[in-house]
Amino acid sequence: MNITVKKGNLADTKTQAIILGVCESEKDFSKLVAGIDQKTGGLIRDVMKKGDFDGKPSQVCLIYTRGTIQAERIALVGLGKKKELDLEKVRGAFAKVMQHLRGLKIGDAATSMDWSLLPDQKEQFASALVEGAKLGLYQYTPYKTVNREDLKEMRNLEMVVTPDDYPLILEEIRKSNIITDAVCFARDLVSAPSNDMTPKIMADHARKIAKRKNVSCHVLEKGKMKALGMNALLGVAAGSHQPPKLIILEYKGGNKGEAPIAFVGKGLTFDSGGISIKPAEKMDEMKTDMSGGAAVMAVVMAAADLKLPLNIVGLVPATENMSGGGALKPGDILKSYSGKTIEVLNTDAEGRLILADALSYALRYKPAAIIDVATLTGACIIALGEDVIGMLGKDEQIKKDISKAAQTTGELVWELPLWDSYSDMIKSDIADYKNTGGRVASTITAAAFLSKFVGDYPWVHLDIAGPAWTTKDKPYIPKGASGAPVRLLIEYLQNRAKK
Ligand code: BES
Ligand code: MN
Ligand code: ZN
């Protein structure tokens, strides 16, 4: 869907539907809503009086204007109580109303920014509206071949603005388009089945990202990994016919020589568990085990499109975890790229193995910060639920900045402790570490394992096992791939760029 900007007045805009966000009490009618209500002879007041619409969050009500204004319809969308209004409610409401209009095969709509709703957050309000609309309308359809003509799509949302607001809105739409495109890019990669999202195909996507200015892409192939001694990554790949790739994206938007921010994303294009094989039920969802990698690629892409004045490295170790004849076996010991040895007690704890080598590789860049993103542990879902990102690390500043960014983007982040004592649980009897500390605190012991491969660099780990994929529709995340934590990380970078 396109978003266009026009100077003018909503009441005089010819379109299939104008969208109005309305708070729960009629007393709170804004100037914009009151104006349209008056022009239509009280149509909005009417549906509220009759009880058809009371402005509860994301409630939608359609009114036919019968020629009282230029638009054919008014689509009211509830924003809840005015004093409880926030960006998350704006995103949800605009997602819901756009989905509703699309369901009616409406292709064009218009709206205006009602600044009185969130007068202190103009920029963020405008971008939340665009984000809600675009992310809510996301659908993944490339594999649907039957009755494709029945697929519905919104064509255009027109933002009708005053001349004064024009530059601000134009700028916010530009940025929101970049960010939502990045989220949808990540969603597309995660949604794709593993037969069409192999490590090679992920690498091809990375190369396309590198067509941008100041972005370059290198892909380390199996031979190079062997030469470098990346045996943890190679070990995981050993049971698969798909050759592994270490995807390296570099974006140079900052000063020459300035230390980059390194993102490392788990790129397991399919996790069968390997010899420690997973149960059949829901194994299909393990095509999403490259969500962290997809997010990292999306973040580099957005950073370049936003021209952020930062240097950024994105590292994505990409492989399958399969149980072919060459596969890792429980008890095997691997010498990682760092030189440290790992006893593999469970081949299903593979994410930390490939991340170990990629994290160690990140140290080559002497990064200012390392953030890894991974669908690492089922235990994180047990601990925090499906919607929450688990955050672990010892760098208080990065954690604080991530938490702050999450408040803006509406992504839920919760910290788990990473006390030194947890490291005892991953000591191996015969190697340096073992790749699982058992069931107890396993999100934490996974992070403790990763911490052994980041040296003294400031590092934070985000476990996205829960929110990467959603089995039920959320307001602006249709069920399936969420694109988390792309918006969070872009917000983090934007804040960092301002410092
Ligand atoms: N990719 C899984 C974690 C996962 C599970 C992500 C469910 C999303 C949804 C990971 O590789 C894994 O299998 N972890 C094991 C670790 C265990 C063997 C120590 C787990 O969480 O059970
Ligand atoms: Mn696994
Ligand atoms: Zn996995």
Side-chain angles (χ1 to χ4, degrees), residues 438-481:
R439 281 162 54 86
V440 172
S442 70
T443 300
I444 302 176
T445 52
F449 181 92
L450 297 180
S451 74
K452 306 300 173 195
F453 299 90
V454 294
D456 292 325
Y457 285 90
W459 158 79
V460 163
H461 160 63
L462 300 177
D463 193 328
I464 58 166
W469 180 258
T470 170
T471 48
K472 53 178 195 302
D473 285 328
K474 296 185 195 172
Y476 58 95
I477 309 175
K479 82 175 179 203

Side-chain angles (χ1 to χ4, degrees), residues 385-437:
E386 286 186 328
D387 303 336
V388 182
I389 298 170
M391 174 170 71
L392 301 99
K394 288 182 184 158
D395 192 274
E396 300 306 322
Q397 188 62 49
I398 307 179
K399 286 189 287 191
K400 221 173 103 191
D401 293 345
I402 294 270
S403 296
K404 182 176 168 237
Q407 287 202 333
T408 307
T409 63
E411 284 155 289
L412 304 174
V413 174
W414 199 254
E415 188 182 354
L416 294 171
L418 190 56
W419 293 304
D420 289 340
S421 53
Y422 288 106
S423 290
D424 295 342
M425 294 165 73
I426 50 158
K427 275 187 190 145
S428 161
D429 290 337
I430 60 168
D432 294 326
Y433 309 111
K434 52 188 179 186
N435 77 330
T436 148

Side-chain angles (χ1 to χ4, degrees), residues 26-47:
E26 208 187 286
K27 291 190 294 293
D28 286 339
F29 266 9
S30 64
K31 236 173 87 188
L32 177 69
V33 175
I36 304 265
D37 185 52
Q38 205 177 18
K39 283 219 163 88
T40 58
L43 285 177
I44 300 174
R45 211 161 284 261
D46 244 21
V47 293

Side-chain angles (χ1 to χ4, degrees), residues 145-192:
T145 68
V146 179
N147 299 337
R148 268 198 85 83
E149 59 283 2
D150 290 348
L151 293 173
K152 297 165 190 154
E153 231 170 307
M154 286 292 293
R155 281 183 302 272
N156 194 48
L157 174 63
E158 188 168 52
M159 304 285 290
V160 183
V161 302
T162 64
D164 280 354
D165 287 340
Y166 188 79
L168 179 145
I169 296 287
L170 215 55
E171 177 60 4
E172 289 310 310
I173 290 176
R174 185 186 69 82
K175 286 194 282 193
S176 304
N177 270 328
I178 292 172
I179 294 165
T180 52
D181 284 350
V183 173
C184 294
F185 168 83
R187 286 179 179 181
D188 281 347
L189 261 57
V190 175
S191 303

Side-chain angles (χ1 to χ4, degrees), residues 44-308:
I44 300 174
R45 211 161 284 261
D46 244 21
V47 293
M48 290 190 83
K49 277 220 177 79
K50 296 243 162 64
D52 293 17
F53 176 82
D54 53 17
K56 291 250 156 54
S58 295
Q59 187 190 20
V60 176
C61 176
L62 230 55
I63 303 174
Y64 294 84
T65 60
R66 308 203 60 171
T68 52
I69 55 173
Q70 289 290 309
E72 291 167 27
R73 304 168 185 81
I74 300 169
L76 301 180
V77 61
L79 295 173
K81 297 206 173 67
K82 190 171 176 191
K83 57 179 186 305
E84 289 170 16
L85 185 61
D86 60 16
L87 300 172
E88 207 46 11
K89 292 217 181 67
V90 171
R91 292 184 193 104
F94 275 81
K96 273 281 167 293
V97 70
M98 296 302 279
Q99 288 165 356
H100 189 99
L101 295 176
R102 177 178 65 187
L104 299 172
K105 293 205 166 177
I106 289 172
D108 300 285
T111 194
S112 280
M113 293 309 303
D114 198 339
W115 296 128
S116 66
L117 294 169
L118 286 170
D120 305 328
Q121 289 181 285
K122 275 191 157 188
E123 285 87 357
Q124 288 170 335
F125 180 17
S127 55
L129 190 156
V130 173
E131 282 172 14
K134 286 194 58 175
L135 297 178
L137 287 174
Y138 176 81
Q139 43 189 352
Y140 185 73
T141 61
Y143 292 90
K144 291 279 186 201
T145 68
V146 179
N147 299 337
R148 268 198 85 83
E149 59 283 2
D150 290 348
L151 293 173
K152 297 165 190 154
E153 231 170 307
M154 286 292 293
R155 281 183 302 272
N156 194 48
L157 174 63
E158 188 168 52
M159 304 285 290
V160 183
V161 302
T162 64
D164 280 354
D165 287 340
Y166 188 79
L168 179 145
I169 296 287
L170 215 55
E171 177 60 4
E172 289 310 310
I173 290 176
R174 185 186 69 82
K175 286 194 282 193
S176 304
N177 270 328
I178 292 172
I179 294 165
T180 52
D181 284 350
V183 173
C184 294
F185 168 83
R187 286 179 179 181
D188 281 347
L189 261 57
V190 175
S191 303
S194 74
N195 55 329
D196 283 337
M197 193 47 62
T198 59
K200 178 183 179 300
I201 296 173
M202 277 192 92
D204 291 342
H205 281 286
R207 288 191 187 97
K208 264 189 228 141
I209 290 172
K211 295 215 167 98
R212 289 167 173 75
K213 197 169 164 229
N214 294 333
V215 184
S216 62
C217 175
H218 306 279
V219 178
L220 300 193
E221 306 287 341
K222 201 169 159 181
K224 182 77 186 172
M225 291 176 204
K226 273 192 184 143
L228 289 169
M230 294 188 159
N231 300 307
L233 173 52
L234 286 166
V236 174
S240 167
H241 286 304
Q242 297 295 337
K245 310 276 172 188
L246 178 59
I247 301 164
I248 304 166
L249 277 168
E250 292 178 25
Y251 164 65
K252 294 203 171 85
N255 293 328
K256 213 176 160 201
E258 192 178 286
I261 299 149
F263 293 102
V264 179
K266 174 176 174 182
L268 245 299
T269 59
F270 189 74
D271 179 13
S272 73
I275 296 296
S276 315
I277 197 161
K278 288 182 181 292
E281 199 188 337
K282 290 199 184 168
M283 200 203 269
D284 58 291
E285 285 182 15
M286 283 302 114
K287 70 173 184 179
T288 69
D289 213 15
M290 33 59 74
S291 298
V296 165
M297 285 164 57
V299 167
V300 176
M301 175 169 117
D305 287 341
L306 291 166
K307 303 194 169 59
L308 296 184

